[in-house]
Amino acid sequence: MSPRRANAPGRVDRSRSIRFSFDGKIYTGHPGDTLASALMTNGVTLFGRSFKYHRPRGVMTAGVDEPNALVTLIRGEIREPNLPTTLVEIYEGLEAVSQNRFPSLSFDVGAVNQLGGKLLGAGFYYKTFMGPVIGPLKGTRFWMFCEHFIRRAAGLGRAGTAKDTARYERMNAFCDVLVVGSGPAGLKAAREAAGDGGRVILLEMDSLLGGSARWSGGRIEGAEAAHWVDETVSGLRELPNVRTLTRTTAWGYYDGNTIAATERVADHKRDAAKGEPRQRHWVVRAKKVVLATGAFERPIVFPGNDRPGVMLASAAARYANDFGVLPGERIAVFANNDSAYANAALLRDAGATIVAIVDVRAAISDEARRLASQCGGDLLTGHAVVATEGGKGLTGFKVQKFDAATNSLSGDARVISADLLAVSGGWSPAIHLASQAGAGKAEWDATLQAFLPPKPAQDWTAVGTAAGDFSGGHGLDIAPAPVFEIKAAGKAFVDLQHDVTADDVRLAHREGFISVEHLKRYTTLGMATDQGKTSNVPGLAIMAEALGKPIPEVGTTRFRAPFSPVSIGAIGAERIGDLRPDRLTPMHDWHVEQGAKMYPAGLWHRPAIYGAPGETVEQAYIRETKATRSAAGIVDVSTLGKIMVQGPDAAEFLDRVYTNLFSTLPVNKARYGLMLREDGIAYDDGTTWRLAEHDFLMTTTTANAGKVMQNLEYFLDVYWPELKVTLTSVTDEWAGASIAGPRAREILAACVTGTAVDTETLPFMGIVRGEVAGVPVMICRLSFSGELAYEVYSGAGHGQQVWDALIEAGQPFGMVPYGLEALGTMRIEKGHVTGAEIDGRTTARDLYLDWMLSKKKPFIGAAMMDREGLVDENRIRLVGLVSLDGRPLNGGAHLVEHNDPAALRDSIGHITAVCFSPSLGKYIGLALVKGGKKRHGTRAYVSDPLRGRFGPVEIVSHHMFDPEGKRMHG
Amino acid sequence: MLITCPYCGPRDVIEFTYQGDANRTRPDPASTDQAAWNVYTYDRVNTLGDHAEYWQHSGGCRSHLKLVRSTLTHAISSTAFVRDHGEKKSASRRKPGAAT
């Protein structure tokens, strides 16, 4: 394999070498090479096997539009599949492997699929594998048999399974003008915007600024194009208000003129520099965006157009002049427009021989004719390529006479020998970003035979070839003849990456998929990683012809982000892992020191149990519960949501929010309150303390604190602006400890100063202020456990100090700390509801909280809760359960009327909470069952096939322990 | 999407919480007309174009704003406090960049 070097090295630095491997073989390239150009220099023509038919494929383009030459890069354990070799810059030690071949690239078993072309047409999988089994080789069961083999044979690269260890970064940036693309149009736009003094950001996908002007010759503003680029770029680099980003692909256009872009910071290096991320995700908000995104050359669809050695003319010229490698030595050109003649001349200047130029047009411009004669070789106007020859590389092709007006072939085929066929089927402006931020559809330009950007829906303008202005190039009229396909025998590919042929498009049409969206889905045209950059317009043209309609009437699909594949890691950037904050109460460290097993409750961490050595969870909560019910227990309640409701209208506000009255609540008293949603469903509960005439402290459940606050603010701002009320979240300002149990009063009396705590001074639901360990505290006598209980609140900063004093005071009385498990056990015994019962489906009546529904005033949800379906007595309603087989119950298990594990019956409800009740000596639970109270004293059965738990339970009142409340009122 | 809070200035949409359709009318709180409550609670017009809606600057000043946003383009044509804050959030106290 002799190096096929062009006369000039272009961007490639031939003085230094880089070693890399492709499919295990070591090759040498140079700085500036892409994997495509380096392999081409080494004589490699075969890069991969195709998606469906496993046909040999080579390099077709020189950029982001590459459909064929995809590889998987391997870095240690990390595999990154489906990277176009045309974009991968080589580095020392780069390891690439080809894709979709078995056992090797040159000998591929799957290539036998080529023989079955008719079988594997559009819709093959649906037709073969979906639906009922008719015959032996059809239907879903057949699919299940074949799936393993098909999954192995089809598709592109294989994703890795190793964790991505690379680091990614996110940057937010702002500017007055963002220019996407640094070709001549982009450079001019950046220069102009910079001159106006605004902040300018210029994004370029390539590693170098300047686009094709760096290598395509011609003159710009009187200077040689390459020289003009150098001057303009160095001028921009000197300006402090211009930031240029290379290797940066703008891929998404979002609201508020926001552009998403990915900068490949270290992908081209073996090792990232210290502190350097692999990629950087840019979110740029620009006042104005200039889209100088250029244009993509289109192929022509003809039989054998996928053979390695068939390449876009502009790509061939770029390899020769920008990368210093001749993609072929004996090159032929096949075109429907004049631009190919300029590229042919560039190839010849770089050292290639032009053997022939085939043009579908009968007549061409004088300038084209001049360039053709300069190139030498045959000029075959009014001809078309009808077949290609060769194996892993092109050896020749066949031409026939062609009439562009009727799209018909005539005469005998003639063979021309060549190792590269440079094709040009016209140019499509890169309108992807414009389309994302466009009002309406892309506009068809009949002269260019291409879609132009739609009208802007945001503040952008398109310039240069992206806007369809090709005047700045080589001065040739690039308007093509409207020839997209040469119809002759053999597979002619439209979408090379997904192996969609022209016949597949026509098949889709015959089967009724006539809208462009349906065509796309049925044939998967344009749905591969290249998103149809080369296949979009040819596919539409073939569909339009089948429909007998002009192309603009067939229309095009709107382009969506991303423009080219983006690493998910880059978008996530630093935001990986568990990003939730931890909320810790002031007494957190104490709990941990005491051996508490912490349990997440939303963002909070709360003790589940304080396990003694060797204790199980059940043993621990039973011990804690028993100690609390017989002596005393203390629990950290700092996590409860706390909202200060203050102002002259605070009481009125609470009356509107809660179902029960708060305006009648005396100062220094608390009341249990229930809130509904607007639709009448129960929402949240808690106690609210009246600290002064206009001063209430509302508590909410731990889980709903944020939502309740937001809901209250909404009503105040939107519906009741006349109320003079201020809401302040004070959850984090207060530390709370609840002491419960028959000895609770004695413990308080032992440590509280400045107030008495006897029944007279501190009755049930009363509030007093005093001091504990010299710290001011607020004490409210209220109970969740059903015991005589007090909540002691102090400033959060003093929480631990107060807690220590309470623990010390409780010592002589046998007080224990208890966790969520014991808290839950005591509330289940009492039948108090929590989020498991207030589950967004239950009403106050379902929970037997009717007594809280005031008839004296309207409140949120007052009218809606009376809807017919919500007052039905047979809704699932709250009951207690006792396990009759002495085994634990499971939360979430269903209840049925008849015990029959073999035949599952209709559910009459489900279990919401379970525990072992130390007070009753039984496994108990709470449940929501149809009819609720009506079933008290009856038997039902747990039916939990998932966990294999079946067995009898008795339905009882949910007030299972101390139903009269003697203990807490005592 | 950027929302210009009249108090805090232009901020990214992630700082805001959508608080619902602003085209509906809440019935008189004392009303027991379930049909009217039903319309208020459930019925929504799926507007194509400009849509009035409430947003709370939950990651900022916590004010509720009434926006008119195009459901086609996300363009926001009007932004105002839902509640009249009088002198409390007067122009002199507003942050730089906030609309006047």
Side-chain angles (χ1 to χ4, degrees):
Chain A
M1 280 183 231
S2 61
R4 300 199 286 189
R5 281 184 174 171
N7 293 339
R11 69 168 68 192
V12 172
D13 176 6
R14 287 180 184 161
S15 67
R16 288 189 294 141
S17 291
I18 292 174
R19 280 154 55 88
F20 65 98
S21 78
F22 176 58
D23 278 346
K25 190 169 186 284
I26 306 292
Y27 295 95
T28 303
H30 305 286
D33 262 327
T34 62
L35 191 49
S37 70
L39 286 171
M40 213 179 280
T41 312
N42 282 282
V44 174
T45 54
L46 178 60
F47 280 69
R49 290 273 170 179
S50 75
F51 184 69
K52 210 154 74 173
Y53 302 114
H54 288 245
R55 288 166 73 104
R57 293 283 167 84
V59 178
M60 187 183 158
T61 75
V64 70
D65 45 346
E66 177 59 36
N68 276 341
L70 308 184
V71 292
T72 298
L73 281 200
I74 296 170
R75 281 188 192 242
E77 298 289 297
I78 314 290
R79 301 172 62 89
E80 195 179 8
N82 303 336
L83 294 170
T85 50
T86 51
L87 294 184
V88 174
E89 295 175 58
I90 58 167
Y91 52 84
E92 186 65 34
L94 175 141
E95 193 183 345
V97 292
S98 60
Q99 301 183 157
N100 205 26
R101 81 291 191 266
F102 177 83
S104 76
L105 183 55
S106 53
F107 178 77
D108 176 53
V109 169
V112 72
N113 281 0
Q114 290 175 50
L115 305 174
K118 285 258 170 2
L119 292 175
L120 290 173
F124 164 74
Y125 291 100
Y126 295 106
K127 289 170 192 164
T128 310
F129 295 117
M130 294 295 157
V133 180
I134 305 162
L137 298 178
K138 283 255 178 198
T140 312
R141 235 180 292 157
F142 182 49
W143 163 251
M144 291 162 95
F145 169 75
C146 297
E147 184 178 5
H148 170 76
F149 305 101
I150 289 172
R151 290 234 185 270
R152 187 177 176 132
L156 300 168
R158 187 162 51 84
T161 50
K163 190 174 152 75
D164 186 359
T165 50
R167 201 173 65 76
Y168 299 88
E169 248 176 35
R170 179 189 158 111
M171 281 282 271
N172 290 300
F174 303 85
C175 63
D176 294 293
V177 179
L178 173 72
V179 182
V180 183
S182 72
L187 289 177
K188 282 181 195 168
R191 186 180 62 187
E192 189 183 327
D196 296 341
R199 285 182 299 172
V200 178
I201 296 178
L202 174 61
L203 305 182
E204 171 54 53
M205 192 155 59
D206 193 14
S207 59
L208 299 173
L209 299 176
S212 59
R214 285 184 309 97
W215 53 267
S216 63
R219 301 183 79 81
I220 301 171
E221 294 175 349
E224 264 183 50
H227 183 68
W228 179 88
V229 167
D230 288 344
E231 292 288 305
T232 311
V233 167
S234 53
L236 286 173
R237 288 238 155 93
E238 279 168 22
L239 297 174
N241 57 334
V242 179
R243 168 181 237 161
T244 54
L245 296 170
T246 52
R247 297 188 176 95
T248 305
T249 308
W251 52 262
Y253 203 133
Y254 297 96
D255 297 329
N257 245 20
T258 306
I259 295 279
T262 303
E263 182 186 4
R264 291 172 297 280
V265 182
D267 278 356
H268 62 294
K269 301 177 182 176
R270 190 183 65 180
D271 305 300
K274 192 166 182 288
E276 212 171 50
R278 178 190 167 214
Q279 293 179 352
R280 191 175 284 132
H281 174 51
W282 286 84
V283 179
V284 186
R285 289 185 195 281
K287 288 198 181 120
K288 187 173 161 48
V289 172
V290 178
L291 298 174
T293 45
F296 289 115
E297 192 166 26
R298 294 193 299 251
I300 297 174
V301 179
F302 57 89
N305 64 336
D306 65 326
R307 196 175 304 281
V310 177
M311 187 182 281
L312 291 176
S314 58
R318 183 172 172 204
Y319 282 116
N321 290 277
D322 196 16
F323 293 99
V325 53
L326 295 178
E329 282 159 303
R330 294 173 50 74
I331 297 176
V333 174
F334 179 35
N336 68 358
N337 69 89
D338 282 1
S339 72
Y341 291 80
N343 286 322
L346 282 167
L347 283 163
R348 183 181 174 276
D349 293 348
T353 304
I354 304 298
V355 295
I357 297 178
V358 182
D359 198 315
V360 297
R361 300 171 297 175
I364 57 170
S365 69
D366 292 346
E367 178 62 7
R369 198 168 285 280
R370 191 187 63 77
L371 285 167
S373 66
Q374 189 185 314
C375 287
D378 292 344
L379 175 60
L380 298 167
T381 54
H383 277 72
V385 177
V386 294
T388 60
E389 296 173 346
K392 288 157 197 167
L394 187 79
T395 55
F397 58 92
K398 286 182 186 164
V399 294
Q400 264 184 291
K401 278 209 171 105
F402 181 78
D403 180 0
T406 58
N407 206 336
S408 58
L409 296 159
S410 60
D412 294 332
R414 165 181 166 191
V415 177
I416 296 173
S417 147
D419 61 359
L420 189 92
L421 183 59
V423 180
S424 179
W427 291 81
S428 296
I431 60 168
H432 303 69
L433 292 175
S435 171
Q436 289 179 34
K441 293 198 166 171
E443 290 167 21
W444 179 255
D445 183 299
T447 307
L448 289 174
Q449 292 285 303
F451 287 101
L452 297 183
K455 292 191 171 56
Q458 299 206 48
D459 200 351
W460 57 261
T461 49
V463 296
T465 54
D469 174 9
F470 287 82
S471 62
H474 14 58
L476 292 166
D477 181 5
I478 66 109
V483 173
F484 297 92
E485 184 201 0
I486 308 302
K487 285 185 209 156
K491 277 200 176 67
F493 286 87
V494 181
D495 181 334
L496 281 83
Q497 197 171 122
H498 262 171
D499 267 3
V500 180
T501 64
D503 284 339
D504 286 332
V505 175
R506 280 186 281 271
L507 177 67
H509 167 254
R510 280 201 303 280
E511 295 186 352
F513 297 91
I514 54 172
S515 95
V516 58
E517 277 82 7
H518 292 162
L519 167 73
K520 194 175 165 182
R521 280 155 187 76
Y522 191 58
T523 61
T524 71
L525 174 74
M527 290 168 79
T529 62
D530 65 342
Q531 287 287 289
K533 290 182 180 63
T534 53
S535 62
N536 180 34
V537 171
L540 277 175
I542 293 166
M543 190 64 169
E545 196 205 351
L547 285 166
K549 282 185 186 172
I551 292 172
E553 278 180 38
V554 178
T556 182
T557 51
R558 184 187 275 262
F559 290 100
R560 305 286 178 191
F563 164 73
S564 62
V566 179
S567 298
I568 296 291
I571 300 172
E574 297 92 344
R575 297 169 295 178
I576 50 169
D578 186 353
L579 299 171
R580 296 173 306 168
D582 285 320
R583 297 185 79 180
L584 307 178
T585 74
M587 290 80 92
H588 180 82
D589 291 346
W590 187 91
H591 303 317
V592 174
E593 278 162 28
Q594 296 299 307
K597 191 173 162 244
M598 302 305 283
Y599 186 80
L603 299 176
W604 291 100
H605 293 259
R606 303 187 68 181
I609 50 158
Y610 295 85
E615 246 181 358
T616 64
V617 171
E618 185 171 286
Q619 286 166 342
Y621 80 74
I622 290 171
R623 174 182 53 74
E624 289 169 14
T625 304
K626 278 182 173 167
T628 304
R629 292 244 191 261
S630 63
I634 183 167
V635 63
D636 184 350
V637 292
S638 308
T639 60
L640 286 179
K642 294 176 276 290
I643 300 168
M644 287 305 299
V645 183
Q646 293 163 303
D649 296 321
E652 167 66 19
F653 176 69
L654 292 172
D655 276 352
R656 296 185 189 186
V657 165
Y658 278 123
T659 61
N660 45 339
L661 273 172
F662 276 79
S663 49
T664 54
L665 181 68
V667 171
N668 288 331
K669 287 284 266 182
R671 185 167 285 171
Y672 176 58
L674 176 71
M675 289 179 204
L676 307 186
R677 305 191 312 214
E678 286 275 38
D679 61 0
I681 300 288
Y683 180 42
D684 199 63
D685 65 345
T687 56
T688 288
W689 312 8
R690 191 166 205 169
L691 304 181
E693 183 64 24
H694 297 154
D695 205 350
F696 292 82
L697 174 63
M698 171 190 285
T699 67
T700 73
T701 57
T702 301
N704 276 343
K707 279 193 286 181
V708 168
M709 178 73 182
Q710 206 156 25
N711 195 44
L712 298 180
E713 287 172 328
Y714 173 76
F715 275 93
L716 211 48
D717 267 0
V718 175
Y719 296 122
W720 307 325
E722 75 283 2
L723 293 185
K724 291 191 171 106
V725 177
T726 297
L727 301 170
T728 315
S729 170
V730 293
T731 303
D732 292 331
E733 321 307 320
W734 293 97
S738 172
I739 295 186
R743 313 298 295 270
R745 186 182 290 125
E746 292 165 78
I747 294 167
L748 280 194
C751 63
V752 176
T753 56
T755 178
V757 292
D758 58 280
T759 313
E760 197 113 328
T761 321
L762 186 50
F764 186 60
M765 288 296 190
I767 299 166
V768 295
R769 289 170 187 77
E771 286 184 355
V772 170
V775 176
V777 296
M778 206 158 55
I779 305 169
C780 181
R781 183 179 156 191
L782 53 82
S783 176
F784 190 53
S785 58
E787 296 299 319
L788 169 67
Y790 302 87
E791 284 186 6
V792 181
Y793 275 20
S794 65
H798 298 287
Q800 186 61 53
Q801 202 177 333
V802 171
W803 180 270
D804 286 341
L806 295 172
I807 293 287
E808 196 186 323
Q811 209 94 54
F813 300 94
M815 183 180 78
V816 298
Y818 69 91
L820 283 182
E821 293 289 341
L823 181 94
T825 298
M826 288 188 273
R827 77 101 186 167
I828 293 168
E829 290 179 334
K830 285 293 293 177
H832 288 157
V833 291
T834 65
E837 293 79 29
I838 304 180
D839 65 355
R841 291 173 291 186
T842 50
T843 66
R845 293 183 181 102
D846 294 340
L847 304 172
Y848 296 104
L849 297 172
D850 321 29
W851 57 276
M852 299 185 70
L853 304 175
S854 170
K855 293 194 173 61
K856 295 181 185 144
K857 48 117 192 183
F859 50 85
I860 296 172
M864 294 296 269
M865 73 175 188
D866 288 333
R867 283 180 292 164
E868 193 182 344
L870 297 184
V871 296
D872 182 354
E873 299 249 309
N874 286 320
R875 286 171 60 83
I876 54 170
R877 307 182 72 179
L878 185 65
V879 295
L881 293 181
V882 176
S883 168
L884 293 180
D885 57 9
R887 292 159 63 204
L889 302 171
N890 288 326
H894 279 275
L895 296 166
V896 295
E897 285 173 328
H898 304 281
N899 192 23
D900 188 354
L904 301 177
R905 307 294 180 117
D906 282 353
S907 168
I908 58 166
H910 63 271
I911 302 175
T912 59
V914 296
C915 68
F916 179 80
S917 164
S919 316
L920 304 174
K922 292 169 182 164
Y923 284 101
I924 61 167
L926 292 174
L928 293 165
V929 300
K930 281 182 190 166
K933 243 177 201 173
K934 284 193 251 172
R935 291 185 189 263
H936 284 179
T938 68
R939 184 175 280 217
Y941 299 89
V942 176
S943 178
D944 189 358
L946 199 63
R947 288 172 286 202
R949 169 77 171 95
F950 299 88
V953 291
E954 187 187 357
I955 296 176
V956 297
S957 161
H958 56 286
H959 301 299
M960 287 174 275
F961 177 72
D962 184 27
E964 298 84 28
K966 282 180 193 152
R967 297 173 74 93
M968 68 179 182
H969 290 285
Chain B
M1 192 166 118
L2 280 185
I3 295 176
T4 303
C5 171
Y7 184 60
C8 304
R11 300 297 182 93
D12 193 276
V13 69
I14 58 167
E15 291 187 12
F16 295 82
T17 307
Y18 181 63
Q19 290 280 66
D21 187 344
N23 297 300
R24 56 203 183 123
T25 311
R26 195 169 191 265
D28 181 274
S31 162
T32 55
D33 177 356
Q34 285 189 358
W37 281 103
N38 209 64
V39 168
Y40 160 75
T41 309
Y42 297 112
D43 288 2
R44 298 288 182 278
V45 180
N46 189 10
T47 309
L48 181 74
D50 282 349
H51 185 244
E53 51 201 32
Y54 297 121
W55 289 77
Q56 185 184 20
H57 195 186
S58 47
C61 63
R62 294 195 71 88
S63 300
H64 279 84
L65 312 178
K66 186 172 179 174
L67 306 186
V68 176
R69 179 185 63 97
S70 167
T71 57
L72 281 169
T73 63
H74 288 181
I76 296 166
S77 52
S78 147
T79 312
F81 287 126
V82 176
R83 193 178 208 198
D84 179 11
H85 288 280
E87 290 305 300
K88 275 200 293 183
K89 289 186 179 179
S90 66
S92 62
R93 290 185 52 197
R94 288 183 191 183
K95 296 179 184 176
T100 46

